[in-house]
Amino acid sequence: MDKTRVAIVGLGTVGTGVARLLLDHGDRTARHAGRTLWLEAIVDRDTRRQRDVDLPAGLLTDDLSRITGNPAIQVVAELIGGLEPARTIVLELLRSGKDVVTANKALLAEHGAELFDTARALGRSIAFEASVAGGIPIIANISQCLSANQVLSLRGILNGTSNFIVTKMEEGMDYAAAVSTAQRMGFAEADPSMDVDGTDAVQKLAILAHLAFGARVHWRDIPRQGINTLHLADMRFACELGYRIKLLAVAELTQGVLELHVAPTLVRMGTPLAEVREAYNAISVIGDAVGPVFFHGLGAGQMPTASAVVADMIDTAVGRTGITFRTLELWSRREARVGIRDHADLKGRFYLRFTVEDHPGVMAQIAGVLGRHAVSIASIIQHEPDPASDGSLVPLVIMTHMTTEGATHQAMQELDRLPCVMPPSVRMRVLDRSES
Ligand code: NDP
Ligand code: HSE
């Protein structure tokens, strides 16, 4: 049987999973590739650490030239993560004639144009299925299987760590314990603040928006909020109102203009996105021909991510990636472009929580400010004061009717200046039907 020689740079959580699939299940990859994917070298800066895989002697090295200097190696998986030296290494790999597979969304969101232009100029390819939603084949679906469609809407839970933390907090675990459990289980980024502040989700959204809509938007320009500011009180109120809080990434096309944002959102219980638990990811896509399609699966973790990386290595070895890469012209100047909607104009319902003084006239003042900004109240929750507290401050929760980001933002700024309101107040978007 023919051999395609492959290599890995970065033997961490994902790299170890990829090595295990290539070494322990070579028969499987050979059956699908029609050739053996022969693991020729693994580069990691630490060659001594014990890993959860049996490596043949001499395979692991800290010397990148064992790959770049070996013309027999055709396909290399970059799995070190981060921007540098990952960018330089990927450029070196391309220049030494390798096709690259990567799981590194941070790298693509920041340097996609440069890397893709370089690969195109050199006649090489870059495959990146694992960079968004781990084991879910969303890149292939958007760029190939749904290519007869204009995607109209994309709503996703794209960060497994955040979803895991939110799920555990709903079950009673405190925030810090949930973060360290996610780290221990291998879901979190090397710097977990990228997971919890929404950076990782927004980088993935930028990649999807690029593929689905030709949106050449820098991830830093997409409005972003993470789960690191979430309070247990909001999770309890959301539950009381019939919602779960999810870190939702949204890209939606209306009248030719794209809405983009990542934010903790109250999602109606019983709808598919609300029921996504633990480190699972999900993406609800609406195409103009296919209608609604829902993808669900493990979006982080060693083997789900390795599954996507090895599939890309097989596709690259058999030549499928090269064809798609050439025809799609991703991140190129020839792509169609789309305008981005001003964040203030985004429509929606909102959840507002205030900490207010409990005395006559407070409700009237708050309703007055909301009314002046044309924000209409749909429902209000104010419970009896906690008997354990002195009762002077109480939480007040308001659900609005349809309004805009701009109107609620301005109303909240004014409300937080009222003497009867203890800032900062909380404002979150509400999603009543995740599939429409
Ligand atoms: P890890 O930190 O577990 O693994 C990275 C490995 O690369 C480590 O062994 C690290 O060594 C090594 N490394 C770092 N810098 C260099 C270098 N300059 N030269 C050689 N080796 C180096 O990360 P993950 O496996 O979790 O993630 C890898 C990539 O996959 C990232 O881009 C991540 O975003 C992406 N990804 C991860 C998922 C997951 O669930 N973990 C899911 C989807 C994508 P050291 O330990 O010494 O730093
Ligand atoms: N840290 C990422 C997550 C890994 O939790 O989703 C998958 O990209």
Side-chain angles (χ1 to χ4, degrees), residues 14 103 105 130-135 157-164 182 186-192 194-195 200-201 204 279-281 298-301 305:
V14 181
K105 56 269 160 167
S131 66
V132 181
I157 293 170
L158 300 179
N159 184 260
T161 301
S162 297
N163 206 53
F164 179 84
F187 308 143
E189 294 303 301
D191 172 6
M194 301 200 41
D195 292 297
D200 178 80
K204 291 167 177 167
Y280 279 82
N281 281 193
L298 275 166
T305 312

Side-chain angles (χ1 to χ4, degrees), residues 8-79:
I8 297 169
V9 184
L11 191 61
T13 303
V14 181
T16 302
V18 171
R20 280 171 58 189
L21 285 178
L22 292 172
L23 293 169
D24 301 346
H25 299 286
D27 51 339
R28 209 186 283 168
T29 44
R31 200 165 60 246
H32 285 104
R35 71 197 66 207
T36 305
L37 258 60
W38 183 263
L39 185 52
E40 185 81 12
I42 302 176
V43 171
D44 193 284
R45 62 184 169 196
D46 182 352
T47 55
R48 275 192 280 237
R49 193 167 66 226
Q50 198 58 38
R51 267 101 172 174
D52 192 16
V53 58
D54 286 330
L55 296 179
L59 198 65
L60 182 59
T61 172
D62 57 7
D63 178 7
L64 187 69
S65 71
R66 281 265 307 274
I67 296 177
T68 51
N70 181 349
I73 296 176
Q74 293 172 25
V75 184
V76 183
E78 176 280 302
L79 299 169

Side-chain angles (χ1 to χ4, degrees), residues 56-328:
L59 198 65
L60 182 59
T61 172
D62 57 7
D63 178 7
L64 187 69
S65 71
R66 281 265 307 274
I67 296 177
T68 51
N70 181 349
I73 296 176
Q74 293 172 25
V75 184
V76 183
E78 176 280 302
L79 299 169
I80 67 173
L83 298 184
E84 283 294 355
R87 171 184 157 274
T88 306
I89 288 174
V90 169
L91 289 171
E92 258 183 76
L93 292 170
L94 293 169
R95 286 178 187 133
S96 61
K98 318 300 177 199
D99 290 313
V100 171
V101 172
T102 183
N104 192 337
K105 56 269 160 167
L107 182 66
L108 295 182
E110 194 67 47
H111 298 298
E114 179 192 20
L115 298 177
F116 279 64
D117 280 349
T118 306
R120 262 189 295 273
L122 294 166
R124 304 266 53 95
S125 65
I126 300 175
F128 51 100
E129 183 61 71
S131 66
V132 181
I136 303 176
I138 191 65
I139 301 291
N141 270 282
I142 290 189
S143 54
Q144 296 165 50
C145 313
L146 297 177
S147 54
N149 289 263
Q150 169 60 61
V151 174
L152 302 173
S153 162
L154 243 160
R155 289 174 177 154
I157 293 170
L158 300 179
N159 184 260
T161 301
S162 297
N163 206 53
F164 179 84
I165 293 168
V166 169
T167 306
K168 290 297 161 201
M169 283 171 74
E170 277 175 357
E171 292 167 7
M173 193 183 275
D174 75 45
Y175 177 83
V179 174
S180 56
T181 309
Q183 284 181 287
R184 208 170 45 250
M185 293 177 80
F187 308 143
E189 294 303 301
D191 172 6
S193 66
M194 301 200 41
D195 292 297
V196 296
D197 73 2
T199 300
D200 178 80
V202 99
Q203 288 174 335
K204 291 167 177 167
L205 181 67
I207 294 172
L208 291 182
H210 187 88
L211 286 181
F213 305 101
R216 264 213 179 188
V217 57
H218 193 277
W219 65 268
R220 279 203 184 81
D221 297 329
I222 301 177
R224 156 181 64 101
Q225 197 188 328
I227 58 148
N228 49 352
T229 52
L230 212 56
H231 291 268
L232 218 48
D234 296 308
M235 300 185 82
R236 293 203 188 102
F237 279 118
C239 185
E240 184 178 341
L241 288 157
Y243 295 86
R244 292 189 205 289
I245 300 178
K246 296 288 173 194
L247 184 67
L248 215 62
V250 174
E252 222 155 57
L253 198 62
T254 29
Q255 293 158 341
V257 186
L258 193 62
E259 160 180 341
L260 283 173
H261 52 91
V262 168
T265 302
L266 275 74
V267 184
R268 170 70 72 187
M269 280 179 193
T271 61
L273 284 173
E275 303 312 321
V276 177
R277 316 285 290 169
E278 307 269 338
Y280 279 82
N281 281 193
I283 304 142
S284 162
V285 180
I286 302 176
D288 63 353
V290 73
V293 193
F294 193 76
F295 301 88
H296 180 250
L298 275 166
Q302 182 174 75
M303 296 317 290
T305 312
S307 151
V309 172
V310 174
D312 269 351
M313 293 174 97
I314 292 173
D315 274 0
T316 306
V318 303
R320 277 192 292 266
T321 303
I323 296 169
T324 320
F325 191 75
R326 279 192 300 279
T327 39
L328 281 180

